[in-house]
Amino acid sequence: MKKHTHRRAPKKLKRTKKHKHKLFTIISTVFIAILIVVASTSYFLLNNNEVIVDIKKENIVQIKQIKNKPITFEEKTKALEIEYINNVDNNIYIEKQEDQKQKENTFHYEEPDYGKVDEIVTKQDIKPEIIEQPKEEIVNIPPIVEKIKEKKKIKIDKPLLAIIIDDVTTKSQIKKIKNIGYTVNMAFLPPTKGHKSSAKITNKLDKYMIHLPLQASSSRYEEENTLYITDDIETIDKRVKSLQKLYPKAKYLNNHTGSKFTSNKEAMDKLFIVLKRYNYIFVDSRTTASSVASLSAKKYGVRMLSRNIFLDNNKNKKYIQGQLKKAIKNAKKYGSAIAIGHPYNITFKTLKDSKYLLKDVELVYIDRL
């Protein structure tokens, strides 16, 4: 018979104050660590989202800037180079309808701020600048508007409107301008490799203008023999003298591009000294609101005029007619106005179709102003 052995119960662990303190410390440390991790993660995610949002915003702004970046007139001229060389119809520049509407909102001629210049002129309703010759030279020039009192009735001639088409270089463009059906002035770009005959084709014309290339804010696709602000007076004299030989009947010049040149006082002083020498009248195309042409004209006694409206910043019939109405409004308000367009089929067609709008003004050559 086995002897019964009595087993002792295991000793119970005594939880002392020391053990309790150690356990509390461990739990507190773990809890604090978890809080730190959670807070750090939240902070990182929040900041990261803000960075992402900022990046997205920056990208959206950049995309908008790219989309809204205006096409310069020099780029347009490059695109039209085929027409200038081959004398073909400019239907090749007609865009697909779905693309055309989008491009019309950003298209401007000559300079990036070309459209803004037009907006400034028309919104402020600036009176057309006409710098007259010295008094002794204009004694016999009749007034633009004659007022004749007859039996208590005042007869007033119609306001005068001069429409100019710039950048003319081909015979087909001349034909289309004549086909408009009323008086339109033509401003010819001087001959270059791209349009060699742009002087010869004026031989049978009685009245026309010279479209003089002056330095723009950008040098992209600029015309050959463009005058720069750094050119000395001898260089400018040589250029103007050569143009007088190429275009013997021309008495008026207007600037092609020229935002940098026409806003430079020294350059314009040199140009007007030469224009005075060769008896030219300057028409400021106002490709920049900073033009100082009127100051130089007054200083050297050169007669000048300024355009009021650009007709075809957008190649759209409704827009062109709207600009034409603004030009008519200016003519009625001041007695005369100048509007400038370009050799596009849509411009030719719109002008031809808008003859009914012109019943209250007289379309004239520039020498009538």
Side-chain angles (χ1 to χ4, degrees), residues 139-156:
V139 171
N140 297 321
I141 294 178
I144 291 175
V145 180
E146 294 180 4
K147 295 182 179 180
I148 302 173
K149 292 185 178 180
E150 188 177 358
K151 294 182 181 180
K152 296 183 179 181
K153 290 184 179 180
I154 299 175
K155 182 182 177 183
I156 302 176

Side-chain angles (χ1 to χ4, degrees), residues 179-344:
N179 193 43
I180 290 173
Y182 50 81
T183 300
V184 175
N185 297 265
M186 293 178 250
F188 289 82
L189 278 170
T192 66
K193 294 176 183 177
H195 38 83
K196 296 179 181 179
S197 302
S198 60
K200 292 180 181 179
I201 59 178
T202 64
N203 290 340
K204 294 182 180 180
L205 298 176
D206 292 325
K207 295 187 178 183
Y208 54 82
M209 297 169 58
I210 300 170
H211 197 39
L212 178 64
L214 300 178
Q215 187 176 1
S217 57
S218 171
S219 61
R220 289 177 295 174
Y221 312 127
E222 69 180 14
E223 285 288 306
E224 295 174 27
N225 300 315
T226 292
L227 290 176
Y228 298 98
I229 61 174
T230 53
D231 288 336
D232 56 32
I233 197 165
E234 288 76 19
T235 301
I236 297 173
D237 183 278
K238 185 178 178 180
R239 176 62 167 154
V240 174
K241 187 177 182 179
S242 69
L243 291 176
Q244 192 175 57
K245 290 180 180 178
L246 288 167
Y247 299 97
K249 298 177 185 177
K251 297 297 180 184
Y252 290 76
L253 302 95
N254 72 325
N255 54 293
H256 171 73
T257 67
S259 61
K260 191 167 186 177
F261 196 102
T262 58
S263 59
N264 185 285
K265 186 178 180 298
E266 290 74 19
M268 289 302 286
D269 279 354
K270 288 182 285 187
L271 177 63
F272 274 89
I273 288 171
V274 175
L275 294 183
K276 177 73 173 178
R277 191 176 294 168
Y278 291 97
N279 297 315
Y280 278 113
I281 298 168
F282 185 73
V283 179
D284 188 0
S285 300
R286 286 188 62 83
T287 57
T288 173
S290 303
S291 174
V292 295
S294 61
L295 298 176
S296 296
K298 289 175 183 176
K299 185 175 181 180
Y300 296 101
V302 176
R303 186 166 181 256
M304 69 157 281
L305 302 92
S306 291
R307 68 92 192 159
N308 301 94
I309 298 292
F310 281 122
L311 293 173
D312 46 11
N313 281 353
N314 292 329
K315 293 191 288 183
N316 173 280
K317 183 174 181 178
K318 186 176 180 181
Y319 176 85
I320 295 170
Q321 282 190 331
Q323 293 298 96
L324 189 60
K325 289 175 183 177
K326 289 180 182 179
I328 294 168
K329 185 178 179 181
N330 272 268
K332 288 180 177 180
K333 185 170 185 178
Y334 301 116
S336 65
I338 297 173
I340 293 179
H342 298 82
Y344 299 133

Side-chain angles (χ1 to χ4, degrees), residues 15 18-28:
R15 293 186 178 178
K18 188 176 182 180
H19 289 129
K20 287 180 181 179
H21 181 72
K22 190 180 283 187
L23 183 61
F24 178 79
T25 304
I26 293 170
I27 293 171
S28 300

